[in-house]
Amino acid sequence: MELLKQLSQQLQALDDKQLIRKRRTVDSPCGPRVLVEGRELLAFCSNDYLGLANHRKIKLALQEGAAIYGVGSGASHLISGHVRAHAMLEERLVQFVGDHLEAPRAITFCTGYMANLAVITGLTAGDREAEIFSEELNHASLIDGARLSRVKTHVYPHADLAALEALLKASKAATKVVVTDSVFSMDGNLAPLTALLALCEQHNAWLVVDDAHGFGTLGDKGHGALEHFNLRSPYLVYMGTLGKAAGVGGAFVAAHETVIETLIQKARPYIFTTATPAALAHALLTSLDLLEGDEGVTRRAHLQALVAQLDNGLRLERWQRLPSKTAIQPVLIGDNAETMRAGAALYEQGLWVGTIRPPTVAPGTARLRVTLSAGHTSADVAKLIAALNALERDSA
Ligand SMILES: *Cc1c(COP(=O)(O)O)cnc(C)c1O
């Protein structure tokens, strides 16, 4: 069949460039130790930053949620799928991040990917002349949201406030939407949110903050990037994911109530999909309590100690550390094949580290993406440090 032959040739072309991705099937819960093909691996590749994905209390809450609400929600939020647990979660999320917004309201989404599609298309739906200003290193879901909105999109260079300011000044659009990750997912560094917000307020632009990697991990209470930077503004549109530090799944947007009402009325990724099972929303209530409580404080402090340990322990010369203070600790290698060899060598030793290649990152910047979790012990991190230091020496 000619169509299949075309696809096979396209796959072969990926393979030739060392760009074929392989899935590994995990036979255990997400955690620092996972079972793959009968082997126990020490994993440094999940986004379960606080080690909550297999937390006893959240698992119990999920079971309780299923007992109360059943399993499927049966319909979209606007038909009959908006269940009490979803409403309670929205309220709880407003408590969580509402201090940083004006007249705050929140809505939940099935995934962060969908939340980002919804926010960007929703904010621009009423104005075909709207313009989007998107940070160069933004997550794919933000890029896709801009594409789906079909309005003019400017990509500004990474963290380049002057370039963004020039673009905003030159824009005649009545609706301007600046979009950025708070913690860059493949680099681990933080966006200059304080300065970005000032620019947005000055130029009357929305600031959409994707806090997928900051929610739960940043701020004393784990409230995320807005707490970390101590921001408050009606211009902020905040997106947090609930499948990373929160350990469950889904996402939410919190913003001024008028923004949220706009999303409910106009955002197709909200309207045309079945609501997540209410039991997940119920489990998330427990997860948020943990994030905000003493356990969250302890786990974040432990995570920070592990980040410092890695920082002090790595002695790399050819490979490059990126200046990250977050749980995302990339080791930049550059070449795709060398990155894959390094990943494979670590895997041989029982250390599972993510290998990231284009198009996820720019060509020539393939890397190991080490992610740390509060579930790791200091001995776990010591093992990784020793392996990485030795591997770089031996591969020279
Ligand atoms: C993971 C991620 C998303 C998508 O969230 P999901 O809930 O996994 O769909 C969006 N933005 C960033 C920056 C992410 O890292």
Side-chain angles (χ1 to χ4, degrees):
M1 199 177 142
E2 196 56 34
L3 290 169
L4 284 174
K5 210 161 96 194
Q6 281 171 20
L7 293 181
S8 300
Q9 281 166 357
Q10 289 159 12
L11 289 170
Q12 186 58 48
L14 279 182
D15 201 17
D16 293 344
K17 284 184 276 188
Q18 303 271 343
L19 288 178
I20 285 286
R21 295 147 188 255
K22 289 229 158 59
R23 303 176 305 172
R24 290 190 174 117
T25 304
V26 175
D27 288 304
S28 61
C30 175
R33 280 174 190 70
V34 292
L35 202 61
V36 180
E37 290 165 359
R39 270 176 83 203
E40 188 183 89
L41 301 170
L42 187 51
F44 292 95
C45 48
S46 87
N47 300 314
D48 177 27
Y49 300 123
L50 296 182
L52 296 185
N54 189 34
H55 194 287
R56 187 182 59 84
K57 287 185 182 166
I58 304 177
K59 287 196 286 190
L60 285 173
L62 183 62
Q63 289 169 358
E64 184 182 76
I68 300 171
Y69 299 103
V71 182
S73 61
S76 65
H77 283 278
L78 294 191
I79 305 294
S80 62
H82 191 65
V83 172
R84 178 58 55 197
H86 297 122
M88 288 166 73
L89 179 59
E90 288 178 351
E91 289 303 313
R92 184 71 179 87
L93 288 164
V94 167
Q95 283 176 7
F96 217 78
V97 297
D99 284 352
H100 305 283
L101 306 164
E102 227 148 272
R105 194 176 165 194
I107 48 170
T108 61
F109 291 86
C110 301
T111 69
Y113 186 95
M114 294 170 78
N116 279 340
L117 297 185
V119 169
I120 302 180
T121 57
L123 286 174
T124 56
D127 181 1
R128 294 182 68 83
E129 306 301 316
E131 291 183 19
I132 295 166
F133 303 84
S134 178
E135 146 82 51
E136 182 182 12
L137 296 189
N138 273 347
H139 189 263
S141 56
L142 293 171
I143 296 169
D144 292 355
R147 288 179 181 158
L148 195 60
S149 71
R150 294 182 295 178
V151 301
K152 183 163 185 154
T153 299
H154 309 266
V155 177
Y156 64 91
H158 180 52
D160 190 339
L161 293 162
L164 175 60
E165 181 167 27
L167 288 169
L168 288 170
K169 265 191 185 143
S171 170
K172 303 237 181 331
T175 309
K176 302 185 189 74
V177 184
V178 175
V179 182
T180 187
D181 281 17
S182 56
V183 179
F184 292 96
S185 50
M186 297 300 138
D187 292 50
N189 60 324
L190 300 182
L193 287 184
T194 306
L196 282 171
L197 180 58
L199 263 187
C200 286
E201 291 185 334
Q202 194 183 333
H203 292 277
N204 204 32
W206 296 113
L207 179 59
V208 175
V209 176
D210 175 343
D211 201 25
H213 303 282
F215 183 78
T217 67
L218 294 177
D220 292 339
K221 297 205 191 75
H223 293 176
L226 303 185
E227 184 192 2
H228 177 85
F229 286 103
N230 193 21
L231 302 180
R232 183 188 164 106
S233 171
Y235 288 86
L236 285 166
V237 179
Y238 180 85
M239 196 288 290
T241 61
L242 302 169
K244 290 171 181 167
V248 181
F252 72 99
V253 173
H256 190 283
E257 58 191 357
T258 306
V259 173
I260 300 304
E261 188 60 27
T262 302
L263 298 185
I264 293 172
Q265 300 307 322
K266 294 194 174 170
R268 297 164 67 89
Y270 186 72
I271 299 169
F272 295 104
T273 195
T274 301
T276 47
L280 291 181
H282 185 77
L284 277 160
L285 295 172
T286 296
S287 168
L288 295 180
D289 286 347
L290 289 169
L291 285 180
E292 210 172 38
D294 292 344
E295 188 160 346
V297 172
T298 309
R299 284 173 183 254
R300 279 186 294 278
H302 179 56
L303 178 59
Q304 275 313 307
L306 297 177
V307 169
Q309 184 190 349
L310 187 77
D311 206 34
N312 294 329
L314 284 181
R315 301 269 177 274
L316 302 178
E317 283 161 21
R318 270 179 326 111
W319 296 350
Q320 195 195 329
R321 293 295 309 296
L322 296 178
S324 162
K325 300 254 175 282
T326 66
I328 302 168
Q329 291 288 323
V331 175
L332 206 143
I333 295 179
D335 180 60
N336 292 345
E338 188 177 356
T339 304
M340 296 314 286
R341 278 198 302 276
L346 291 170
Y347 195 80
E348 275 300 298
Q349 300 172 45
L351 298 168
W352 189 4
V353 174
T355 48
I356 310 290
R357 289 163 286 174
T360 309
V361 292
T365 69
R367 66 198 66 181
L368 299 171
R369 179 176 182 268
V370 172
T371 51
L372 298 175
S373 163
H376 289 121
T377 64
S378 141
D380 293 338
V381 174
K383 203 180 269 183
L384 177 70
I385 291 169
L388 282 170
N389 285 340
L391 194 59
E392 196 219 26
R393 262 199 322 273
D394 297 346
S395 69

